[in-house]
């Protein structure tokens, strides 16, 4: 029998394309390539939030090929669609530069009774596009993300609740998508 693969560490920096300064509070998602993570048997993406200097790190990343996407308010998402991770590798070189712009999309993830679900992961996949953006709800169940104007599939997941999905057409004005 083969020994299990050693997990890797993955990290990098999210910056503004205009001047190279770090973006604090950006959400970085790391998902196996070729998978949307929208089905129960597929793993959810790993998620990190950038620090004040735009740096992020994720430990315990299984070896494989990943798409890495960063989102931040007021910026278009940035993606590195093919990041190879070897067993035990310590990568800190993933740089994502985000351009200003996009359409603000926000909403609330709530339970059957209408109560907010804090800490739910909202995965957003563009129809006909590569990469996926991720947002995490706050204590009031509210999420927000800036996206390009096109169609998207939204999926909300939380370990204690049944997942919800919704297809939404793009808009050039702020959009509310409640799940």
């Amino acid at each position: 029998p083969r020994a299990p693969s050693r997990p890797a560490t993955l990290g990098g920096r999210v910056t503004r394309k205009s001047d190279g300064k770090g973006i604090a509070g950006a959400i970085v998602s790391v998902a196996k390539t070729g998978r949307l993570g929208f089905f129960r048997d597929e793993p959810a993406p790993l998620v990190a939030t950038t620090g004040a200097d735009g740096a992020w790190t994720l430990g315990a990343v299984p070896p494989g090929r990943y798409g890495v996407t960063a989102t931040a308010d007021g910026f278009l998402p940035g993606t590195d669609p093919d990041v190879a991770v070897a067993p035990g590798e310590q990568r800190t070189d993933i740089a994502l530069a985000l351009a200003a712009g996009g359409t603000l999309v926000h909403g609330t993830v709530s339970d059957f009774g209408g109560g907010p679900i804090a800490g739910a992961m909202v995965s957003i996949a563009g129809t006909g596009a590569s990469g996926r953006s991720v947002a995490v709800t706050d204590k009031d169940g509210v999420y927000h993300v800036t996206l390009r104007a096109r169609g998207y599939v939204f999926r909300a997941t939380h370990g204690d609740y049944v997942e919800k999905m919704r297809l939404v057409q793009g808009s050039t004005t702020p959009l509310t998508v409640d799940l």
Side-chain angles (χ1 to χ4, degrees):
R2 277 189 355 193
S5 294
R6 294 184 334 247
T9 298
L10 201 55
R13 196 156 176 257
V14 178
T15 59
R16 297 189 304 209
K17 190 176 264 186
S18 62
D19 62 10
K21 291 186 179 178
I23 300 175
I27 303 293
V28 178
S29 65
V30 177
K32 287 272 191 179
T33 56
R35 297 180 175 257
L36 290 176
F38 276 21
F39 303 102
R40 290 188 191 283
D41 62 339
E42 294 180 357
L46 302 170
V47 178
T49 303
T50 62
D53 61 352
W56 61 275
T57 303
L58 281 170
V61 177
R65 296 190 94 71
Y66 293 89
V68 180
T69 301
T71 57
D73 288 350
F75 295 89
L76 292 169
T79 300
D80 184 337
D82 190 22
V83 175
V85 180
E89 187 173 13
Q90 306 294 307
R91 284 196 66 178
T92 58
D93 62 342
I94 299 170
L96 296 168
L98 308 186
T103 300
L104 177 65
V105 180
H106 61 89
T108 303
V109 177
S110 55
D111 63 21
F112 184 73
I117 299 176
M121 184 177 345
V122 179
S123 300
I124 305 115
T127 56
S130 63
R132 174 183 41 185
S133 300
V134 171
V136 179
T137 59
D138 64 17
K139 65 179 177 56
D140 297 317
V142 174
Y143 72 93
H144 48 90
V145 65
T146 305
L147 302 169
R148 290 178 174 80
R150 64 169 60 130
Y152 291 93
V153 176
F154 285 71
R155 175 186 179 224
T157 57
H158 187 286
D160 296 333
Y161 297 90
V162 174
E163 70 183 43
K164 298 179 183 179
M165 287 186 15
R166 187 167 166 203
L167 175 62
V168 177
Q169 292 304 313
S171 172
T172 57
T173 59
L175 187 61
T176 300
V177 179
D178 293 324
L179 298 162

